[in-house]
Amino acid sequence: MAIADTAPYVVGPADERLLNRVREIADAYHRPQRPLHLQALLQLPRIADRWGNAARSAADALLSELAEELPRRDEWTIPELPQSPRALTFCEVAPETTAFVTQRFHYLRSPRRDARGYGLFTGAGTLVALCTSSPLDVPRLTDMLERDGRNPSNARVLSRVFAFEGAPKNSISYLLARAGERERRFDVRDYLTYVNPNLGFSGTSYKASGWSLLDDEPGTTYRYLDGRYITDRQLTTLFGKHDDRAYRALLGNRFRVSEMPLAPLLVFHRRLDATEA
């Protein structure tokens, strides 16, 4: 007689048991595996203990909820794509399209309304990959640039990156390189972005398009409103800028903060000026 597996998941990109369960639930709900895995890694720390363990029954229930919230598998796939991203058309993306795609498909579900969007399109006008450039308004990033001898007033943040399932290999690195060329026209000299290793990201596409690791940012913490991850910028927009104690007093049980240890965010940098090495 088989014994049911009731051991908790260890929340992290390397946990094979969690990945296998994500695969099973994604298939059951006809959702793509990778987006559901990203949601699992982002949302499960809310119910994980200080060691990163999430009870299996609660985690399975949450994974099913997350799968239902995602678009169906066929919405993530674009048929008959070319093998090379160079066969796609690069151009700016309308703000309403940028907002729709980042809200519906990007794992953060949080459009930057102040962003410039760039994308790769098929000949029929279907968006294949998207990235956005936003103003630099994070003091920690400003300090990092200044320590590196750069002028923050000529810098922007690569705030969102997304590619649909089946996008040609190297689509992201090609898109980032083209976006950097376009940003030079706006007198942008430095590009910064965060890479979150807690979600399994390593920055490979950035390194392939001229980026390098600038620094890391310790103290990673996830915050949740009404049971779902929320960015610090969203919290500030909705309720004003406060510390966690004030948010707890204001929002009560609607607000939660992750307890499990999380790796520092990585900050990648690309110089866009003529002196780039």
Side-chain angles (χ1 to χ4, degrees), residues 6 30 78 80 82 91 99 102-103 146 158 164 166 189 193 195 201 214 216 239 242 246 251 254 270:
T6 59
H30 305 288
I78 301 173
E80 300 180 2
C91 63
T102 51
Q103 176 69 56
E146 289 178 337
L158 183 71
F164 283 97
R189 294 293 176 260
T193 196
V195 171
F201 297 133
L214 177 65
D216 63 34
F239 306 108
H242 305 289
L251 298 169
R254 297 180 62 197
R270 186 184 179 200

Side-chain angles (χ1 to χ4, degrees), residues 93-115:
V93 182
E96 57 272 19
T97 301
T98 299
F100 174 80
V101 171
T102 51
Q103 176 69 56
R104 185 160 172 77
F105 295 100
H106 192 272
Y107 66 92
L108 289 178
R109 302 175 179 173
S110 173
R112 285 290 300 266
R113 304 292 178 177
D114 55 357

Side-chain angles (χ1 to χ4, degrees), residues 141-152:
L141 296 183
T142 297
D143 293 343
M144 289 179 191
L145 268 186
E146 289 178 337
R147 288 198 302 269
D148 200 47
R150 305 295 292 175
N151 183 356

